Amino acid sequence: QKEVEQNSGPLSVPEGAIASLNCTYSDRGSQSFFWYRQYSGKSPELIMFIYSNGDKEDGRFTAQLNKASQYVSLLIRDSQPSDSATYLCAVKRVGDYKLSFGAGTTVTVRA
Amino acid sequence: NAGVTQTPKFQVLKTGQSMTLQCAQDMNHNSMYWYRQDPGMGLRLIYYSASEGTTDKGEVPNGYNVSRLNKREFSLRLESAAPSQTSVYFCATQGTGPAFFGQGTRLTVV
């Protein structure tokens, strides 16, 4: 079992719709969770991080964490063509220095 | 404030050649990382350095060496490049929060 797994994608959504991305992780000791966006040919850039159970909102983005079920999700509301990218989920375990990444989910927003 | 700077951005090597990828950060972070990214494989950790003076292997260390020169700089060396090392390489740094990435080095080994 991979440490971090994401929807295989690709995910295609119409402009203005909600894109929902899911990520599950295997280690219950994980404490920090991050979502990165990566445009084609570019480096990953941080969108959001979440440490506590529940929802965290930042503009059109909402991260949701459920440690009991070991999943973290990202919702993109009012999706725009500029949101078309690959989204990477990353998890950091307690006492560990490194991040573990999922393989990413590619999102395409149709105009 | 440049953040994380990698050099070079592009490189073509012949099989068996050596080279060093450079990474420098001005974020005053203790931890630094080297990842490679291949299509469909996501980001895989090659080596990391939790603090100045320490380095540790990640998932895919074979064929690579690293040096944490000081707090700011972390280099990745390929001693004898192989076609399997064709990839995009990212350096990242992390303090107590998220990691931040350099712009990447696209390496082709022919």
Side-chain angles (χ1 to χ4, degrees):
Chain A
Q1 182 186 9
K2 292 182 180 178
E3 286 187 54
V4 181
E5 299 204 52
Q6 298 184 238
N7 312 64
S8 58
L11 179 65
S12 179
V13 298
E15 186 173 356
I18 296 175
S20 178
L21 306 171
N22 294 320
C23 173
T24 58
Y25 58 94
S26 60
D27 190 336
R28 286 193 173 274
S30 300
Q31 67 169 162
S32 306
F33 307 87
F34 308 91
W35 283 101
Y36 289 83
R37 177 177 63 200
Q38 187 176 24
Y39 292 115
S40 180
K42 302 295 185 182
S43 60
E45 57 177 328
L46 180 73
I47 300 176
M48 293 194 69
F49 58 89
I50 186 167
Y51 301 148
S52 303
N53 277 330
D55 295 359
K56 180 180 179 182
E57 188 174 314
D58 183 359
R60 295 185 296 108
F61 298 97
T62 300
Q64 299 174 317
L65 175 61
N66 184 323
K67 289 186 178 180
S69 300
Q70 295 177 243
Y71 83 77
V72 56
S73 62
L74 180 71
L75 299 178
I76 307 173
R77 292 184 303 280
D78 187 24
S79 295
Q80 302 296 309
S82 60
D83 295 326
S84 297
T86 296
Y87 291 81
L88 302 169
C89 172
V91 173
K92 186 170 178 290
R93 298 178 294 183
V94 174
D96 203 346
Y97 291 101
K98 61 183 178 67
L99 290 176
S100 296
F101 283 85
T105 300
T106 298
V107 173
T108 301
V109 180
R110 311 187 301 271
Chain B
N1 185 350
V4 184
T5 302
Q6 288 182 236
T7 54
K9 291 181 180 163
F10 301 94
Q11 184 71 49
V12 178
L13 288 179
K14 294 183 179 179
T15 297
Q17 286 185 319
S18 62
M19 78 162 294
T20 299
L21 281 65
Q22 306 285 357
C23 177
Q25 54 113 351
D26 62 6
M27 306 182 79
N28 201 35
H29 287 166
N30 283 325
S31 301
M32 298 187 73
Y33 310 83
W34 278 105
Y35 290 91
R36 62 177 289 173
Q37 188 174 41
D38 303 292
M41 301 290 288
L43 285 160
R44 293 185 292 169
L45 184 65
I46 305 171
Y47 270 93
Y48 67 101
S49 171
S51 62
E52 185 179 352
T54 68
T55 60
D56 284 286
K57 295 179 180 179
E59 301 171 63
V60 289
N62 291 344
Y64 305 95
N65 285 301
V66 290
S67 296
R68 182 73 183 268
L69 304 170
N70 47 54
K71 190 171 185 177
R72 290 186 64 248
E73 298 172 289
F74 188 38
S75 62
L76 178 72
R77 183 160 178 84
L78 287 71
E79 291 291 352
S80 179
S84 61
Q85 293 178 305
T86 293
S87 188
V88 180
Y89 292 84
F90 290 104
C91 175
T93 73
Q94 186 172 19
T96 56
F100 295 91
F101 287 80
Q103 71 271 43
T105 297
R106 188 171 295 273
L107 175 66
T108 302
V109 183
V110 297

